[in-house]
Amino acid sequence: MSKKFVLALVLVGLAAACAKKEPEVVPAPVVQPEPVFQGKYGAN
C-alpha cells in the first residue's frame, strides 16, 4: 500500500471517530389504563 492510501484511511478514520453523534431516540413505552371492576357478572 502506498503512503497516501494509508494516510487517507487514517484521516477517514479520524473524521468518522470525531463526527458528531446523534442521540438515539427511544420510543416511550405505551401505558394502558388499568381495567375497571364492573361487578361479578360485568356491566349489565
Side-chain angles (χ1 to χ4, degrees):
M1 284 198 247
S2 67
K3 290 181 182 180
K4 288 183 181 181
F5 182 71
V6 172
L7 181 61
L9 285 178
V10 169
L11 289 176
V12 169
L14 284 173
C18 296
K20 185 177 180 182
K21 296 183 173 95
E22 297 180 9
E24 295 182 18
V25 178
V26 180
V30 177
V31 179
Q32 297 181 353
E34 294 184 15
V36 178
F37 179 70
Q38 297 178 346
K40 184 175 181 180
Y41 300 107
N44 288 336

